Amino acid sequence: MDSTEFRKRGMEMVEYICNYLETLNDRRVTPSVEPGYLRHLLPSEAPHEPEDWDKIMNDVEDKIMPGVTHWQHPRFHAYFPAGNSFPSILGDMLGDGIGCIGFSWAASPACTELETIVLDWLGKAIGLPDHFLALKEGSTGGGVIQTSASECVLVTMLAARAQALKRLKAQHPFVEEGHLLSKLMAYCSKEAHSCVEKAAMICFVKLRILEPDENASLRGQTIGEAMEEDELQGLVPFFVSTTLGTTGSCAFDNLPEIGLELQKFPSVWLHVDAAYAGNSFICPELKPLLKGIEFADSFNTNPNKWLLTNFDCSTLWVRDRIRLTSALVVDPLYLKHGYSDAAIDYRHWGVPLSRRFRSLKLWFVLRSYGISGLQHYIRHHIKLAKRFEELVLKDKRFEICNQVKLGLVCFRLKGSDKLNEKFLSTINESGKLHMVPASVNERYIIRFCAVAQNATAEDIDYAWDTIVDFANELLEKEQHDELTEIINKKKQDTLAQKRSFFVRMVSDPKIYNPAINKAGTPKLSLDITSPVVSRGSNPIIRTQSSVEHNSWISWPLAFLFNSNNDEKSSNVSLRFRHLDTNVRPSSSRRNSGAGSSPSPENEVNYVNMQQQQQQQQQQQRSPRKSPMFMRKLPSTQNNHN
Ligand code: PLP
C-alpha cells in the first residue's frame, strides 16, 4: 500500500469506524457464536500472494464482526467502560504513524517529555499531592504510562520488594536473599482485583487477603492487626495494596484509616489502585473520595477505562521515582546515552523496554475535551447510574447492593443466588443487554455500569424495561414451577408415607410403638462446616474453623506444588482462588516482639511449604483431593481471645 492508496483507504476506514459506532444499536451487543467459530471461516494458512483490500474489509464485516462483543454499544453495561473517543483514536493513529519506540529520552525526546508533562497535568487535575508530580520544584516523584493497572500493581510491588530486601539485607548481611524473600508479606482486601494476587505470584511473596467490612471497605484496624500478628510470626509486612473503587461493587477502602495505621510501619509501601474510580477525581465534588492519598507511596488509575482514552493507557504515579526505578534498572551499554543522568528514561519505570507514544492520545483527549468536558462526561455517567438506582429502588422485587457513588450500580432480585444467576444468564443470552455478576459479601450480585460514551436517559430506561420484562417472565415461571413442585412433592410424600408405612408394618414390629411414630423422621441438617464445598468448578476447602476466620494467605506458586505432577489436578482457575486450609506458617519466632525484624540466622527454618503441602496431601489423599492454595489464618480476634 503506497501513500496514495493509504489516503484513500484511511478515509474509508474513518468512514467505516464512524458508521460502526453510529449504527451499533442495530447489532446484538454480544455475539452468538460458539468457540472456534472463526477457525471454520478463515483459511488455515496465511495467503502467499497479496490480497485485495476490499476483500479483506468484506471479511471484517462478514467474519470478524459476528464474533465481536460491542463494548461501545449503548446496551453494554458489563465490567467498567472501555475508554474510546475520536481524539483518542486520532492520537493513537498519529503515534502509530510516527512509530517510535521511546524507551529512553534519547530514543525519542518528545515521547518521553510529553509523557512527563501530561502525567503532571492529569495528576494535578485529579488532585494528587505535589510529591507525585515530576516537574514540581523539589519533588522526587513522577508519573508514567503503563499498559494496564495489573502492571502498575506489579511494578510497585517489585519496587516495594526491592526496598524491603535491601533493608533486610543490611540488617542480616549473611542471610541469602531467597530466605529473606520468604519472610515478606503483602496485604490486600478480599475485594482487591485479582491482579494483586497475580503480582504476588510473580514477585514470589506471600499475600494476606483480608476481610473488608460490610460495605466491602478494608479498614485500618484489620490491616494493623494482621501486620502485628504477622510480625509476631517473624514475617515482614512490606506492601499494602488498597483499592478506591473495587471491581465488584465500586467500594472504597478506608484510606485515611489505613494510612494512619501504616504510620506504625513506616517501611511498608502503600499503593492505591483506583483503576476506574480514580478518573472521577477530576471532579471537585468527588475529590473527598481521594482522602488519605497523602499517606500513599503510589497511585494508579486507567484513563483507558473512564477518561475517554483508548486502551492502553494506565497511569501510575510514585512518590519516589528512585525507589521505583532501582528495582527495575538494567543498563547495558547500547542503551546508555549522553543525557542519562539529566533525563527520564522510562524503560526503568516498567517491565518492557519498548514503549509506544501513548501520551499523544491522552494529550489529545485532555486538550480536546478540556478538564471541564471530562468532568461533564463523568458527571453524566454518574447521573445515569443514579437514574438506574432510582428505578431499581422503586421495584420492591429488587434490592440495591452497593453504595452508588459513581457509575456502577449493583443490584439483585430478592431471592436466592441461583435465581439471580438464572436471571442474568437469560438476559445475557438474549443479546439485548450485557451485564456481568460479582460476588460481594458472599452474595451473587449483578453489576450495571454506565459505559457508552454518549449513553442517554433513554438507554437507561430501555435497560430497565428489559430487565423488568425478564424479571416478570422469570418470576412468573418460578412461581408456577414452585407451585408445581409443592404439589408434586406433596403427592410424592403422601405416596412415600403410604409405602413406608406399609413396608414398616410388614417388616418392623416397632411401628406399632406409638412413641416411635410421634418422633417422626429425623431432619437433615445443613452442615456448614463440611470440609469441601464446591462452587462451580472450583473446589473451596472449608475447614471447621473457617466460618469465624477471616483472612487467607496466597502462597506464591502453590498451585504448581499442589499439582503433584498430576496435570489434571492442576487444572484450576487462578482467578479468585479463595481456597483455604487451617494451616499457617510455623515459626520458631512466635515470641519475638512486635515490630522487630526476624533474625533468620538464628531461627529454625520455616516449615517448607512444599513439604507441608505434601504432608497434608498425604493426610488428606482420601477421600478428598482438593487443591490447597490459600492457607487460612486464625482471625486476629480469635488470637487475642
Ligand atoms: N484494578 C481494578 C480496581 C480494576 O477494576 C481492574 C479491572 O477492571 C484492574 C485493576 C485490572 O485492570 P487492567 O486490565 O488494566 O490490568
Side-chain angles (χ1 to χ4, degrees):
M1 188 181 285
D2 58 18
S3 56
T4 312
E5 193 184 356
F6 177 67
R7 273 197 184 91
K8 177 174 174 310
R9 297 307 187 181
M11 278 179 216
E12 283 171 15
M13 187 62 87
V14 167
E15 198 54 36
Y16 183 84
I17 293 170
C18 290
N19 278 337
Y20 167 74
L21 291 171
E22 283 165 7
T23 59
L24 264 177
N25 236 340
D26 303 338
R27 299 180 192 254
R28 257 181 78 102
V29 56
T30 45
S32 62
V33 293
E34 301 278 319
Y37 93 98
L38 195 54
R39 228 178 101 196
H40 302 299
L41 298 177
L42 296 184
S44 54
E45 312 267 332
H48 193 257
E49 298 304 325
E51 289 194 89
D52 181 59
W53 187 259
D54 287 326
K55 204 170 152 228
I56 302 172
M57 284 308 288
N58 286 342
D59 279 353
V60 167
E61 194 51 47
D62 297 345
K63 295 172 182 166
I64 304 297
M65 282 298 174
V68 169
T69 299
H70 303 290
W71 283 60
Q72 309 304 325
H73 199 295
R75 311 284 170 249
F76 185 97
H77 298 288
Y79 312 106
F80 283 135
N84 198 354
S85 69
F86 293 130
S88 168
I89 295 171
L90 291 173
D92 249 353
M93 198 172 151
L94 179 60
D96 287 343
I98 294 172
C100 66
I101 304 290
F103 48 69
S104 66
W105 179 87
S108 190
C111 183
T112 296
E113 294 202 10
L114 188 64
E115 190 158 327
T116 310
I117 291 167
V118 166
L119 269 274
D120 266 21
W121 279 13
L122 184 59
K124 276 185 205 165
I126 285 174
L128 295 181
D130 284 354
H131 53 249
F132 284 117
L133 310 175
L135 302 174
K136 211 57 195 188
E137 192 68 34
S139 162
T140 52
V144 58
I145 299 178
Q146 306 278 359
T147 308
S148 66
S150 307
E151 233 174 87
C152 296
V153 172
L154 172 63
V155 296
T156 49
M157 197 186 280
L158 282 168
R161 188 183 73 160
Q163 291 299 308
L165 287 176
K166 193 172 150 196
R167 194 169 47 82
L168 285 178
K169 192 73 185 171
Q171 285 169 15
H172 312 287
F174 304 113
V175 178
E176 254 200 64
E177 290 80 354
H179 193 62
L180 298 174
L181 184 67
S182 73
K183 311 292 177 209
L184 299 187
M185 181 71 89
Y187 301 82
C188 71
S189 155
K190 196 174 99 187
E191 292 301 322
H193 191 270
S194 57
C195 69
V196 185
E197 203 181 334
K198 191 184 246 187
M201 283 164 59
I202 298 171
C203 290
F204 216 81
V205 292
K206 297 173 186 72
L207 171 71
R208 190 159 168 183
I209 300 169
L210 299 162
E211 194 73 43
D213 69 10
E214 65 285 1
N215 292 319
S217 165
L218 183 61
R219 306 298 299 269
Q221 195 185 349
T222 311
I223 284 259
E225 285 178 357
M227 298 206 323
E228 273 167 24
E229 189 189 307
D230 286 342
E231 280 198 338
L232 282 172
Q233 297 283 331
L235 295 162
V236 181
F238 80 104
F239 181 80
V240 174
S241 188
T242 55
T243 316
L244 299 182
T246 59
T247 317
S249 62
C250 200
F252 289 74
D253 287 341
N254 195 318
L255 193 55
E257 270 184 23
I258 294 170
L260 274 177
E261 199 64 36
L262 289 196
Q263 305 272 287
K264 296 184 210 152
F265 303 87
S267 50
V268 172
W269 184 298
L270 175 59
H271 179 68
V272 179
D273 173 14
Y276 165 71
N279 298 289
S280 72
F281 305 152
I282 61 166
C283 297
E285 70 277 19
L286 296 171
K287 283 198 169 51
L289 292 173
L290 189 59
K291 222 167 127 203
I293 189 65
E294 63 280 8
F295 297 112
D297 292 289
S298 49
F299 172 91
N300 74 270
T301 188
N302 284 19
N304 68 36
K305 285 196 194 301
W306 205 18
L307 215 59
L308 294 170
T309 309
N310 288 68
F311 187 80
D312 56 338
C313 186
S314 189
T315 45
L316 168 72
W317 290 265
V318 290
R319 172 191 288 267
D320 183 341
R321 55 184 182 245
I322 302 297
R323 287 209 287 157
L324 174 68
T325 55
S326 58
L328 298 160
V329 159
V330 277
D331 231 357
L333 188 59
Y334 52 81
L335 295 176
K336 283 185 193 295
H337 57 87
Y339 297 100
S340 286
D341 294 335
I344 285 181
D345 283 349
Y346 278 122
R347 72 194 150 98
H348 302 313
W349 293 55
V351 176
L353 169 67
S354 302
R355 19 196 8 265
R356 298 173 61 230
F357 203 161
R358 294 178 286 209
S359 55
L360 269 178
K361 63 183 162 195
L362 190 52
W363 188 52
F364 278 29
V365 167
L366 287 168
R367 293 188 62 181
S368 311
Y369 288 91
I371 300 298
S372 68
L374 295 170
Q375 288 171 341
H376 175 78
Y377 161 74
I378 297 273
R379 286 180 187 132
H380 178 58
H381 272 190
I382 296 174
K383 216 163 113 189
L384 295 178
K386 292 277 181 200
R387 183 184 184 96
F388 185 79
E389 183 192 22
E390 271 170 32
L391 292 167
V392 178
L393 285 171
K394 276 190 203 147
D395 191 325
K396 296 286 168 254
R397 298 171 302 172
F398 289 90
E399 58 186 320
I400 291 286
C401 311
N402 70 331
Q403 296 176 328
V404 181
K405 293 180 176 162
L406 303 178
L408 180 72
V409 185
C410 298
F411 73 106
R412 73 199 301 272
L413 274 168
K414 288 176 185 163
S416 66
D417 284 358
K418 216 168 136 200
L419 176 77
N420 279 283
E421 263 178 62
K422 199 164 162 189
F423 180 50
L424 181 60
S425 70
T426 321
I427 295 175
N428 280 338
E429 272 164 27
S430 77
K432 291 185 176 170
L433 282 185
H434 189 39
M435 296 177 288
V436 289
S439 173
V440 175
N441 290 335
E442 313 301 328
R443 289 201 314 168
Y444 183 96
I445 56 152
I446 301 171
R447 299 168 75 268
F448 178 95
C449 195
V451 164
Q453 182 189 352
N454 299 313
T456 61
E458 289 70 44
D459 292 326
I460 299 302
D461 295 349
Y462 168 89
W464 179 243
D465 290 345
T466 309
I467 289 167
V468 167
D469 284 349
F470 277 103
N472 291 343
E473 204 173 300
L474 179 70
L475 293 177
E476 209 171 284
K477 191 168 172 301
E478 286 285 310
Q479 246 173 7
H480 179 261
D481 289 354
E482 217 171 281
L483 213 66
T484 319
E485 205 176 303
I486 291 170
I487 294 166
N488 284 343
K489 188 160 185 307
K490 201 152 176 154
K491 273 189 202 157
Q492 276 170 2
D493 284 354
T494 317
L495 198 67
Q497 216 175 8
K498 277 182 190 163
R499 273 197 199 127
S500 146
F501 190 74
F502 176 73
V503 170
R504 284 154 76 201
M505 228 169 50
V506 295
S507 64
D508 184 357
K510 285 204 293 288
I511 192 69
Y512 302 113
N513 180 346
I516 297 176
N517 261 344
K518 253 190 210 163
T521 329
K523 279 206 178 81
L524 270 180
S525 68
L526 269 183
D527 178 11
I528 51 165
T529 58
S530 91
V532 180
V533 182
S534 181
R535 188 186 293 163
S537 59
N538 290 355
I540 293 181
I541 304 162
R542 183 176 270 183
T543 57
Q544 273 214 309
S545 52
S546 72
V547 175
E548 324 92 58
H549 288 173
N550 58 7
S551 74
W552 295 262
I553 296 182
S554 163
W555 293 74
L557 303 192
F559 68 100
L560 290 181
F561 301 143
N562 186 64
S563 71
N564 208 13
N565 297 332
D566 173 359
E567 279 302 312
K568 276 186 202 135
S569 71
S570 66
N571 185 21
V572 176
S573 156
L574 297 185
R575 264 179 85 89
F576 310 122
R577 291 173 297 119
H578 288 165
L579 311 175
D580 43 51
T581 74
N582 57 359
V583 181
R584 73 162 289 130
S586 67
S587 165
S588 59
R589 304 199 43 80
R590 250 190 187 281
N591 297 326
S592 64
S596 65
S597 292
S599 207
E601 294 98 327
N602 305 325
E603 76 175 20
V604 178
N605 270 352
Y606 278 69
V607 173
N608 177 292
M609 195 231 136
Q610 191 171 354
Q611 278 172 3
Q612 250 185 21
Q613 283 208 322
Q614 279 164 0
Q615 280 165 10
Q616 272 231 331
Q617 274 172 355
Q618 271 159 14
Q619 283 163 12
Q620 295 171 346
R621 196 159 310 274
S622 160
R624 92 174 185 240
K625 211 173 160 217
S626 306
M628 286 165 288
F629 301 151
M630 303 288 183
R631 311 224 143 187
K632 184 139 242 171
L633 296 174
S635 70
T636 24
Q637 204 186 351
N638 273 352
N639 263 3
H640 288 246
N641 289 343

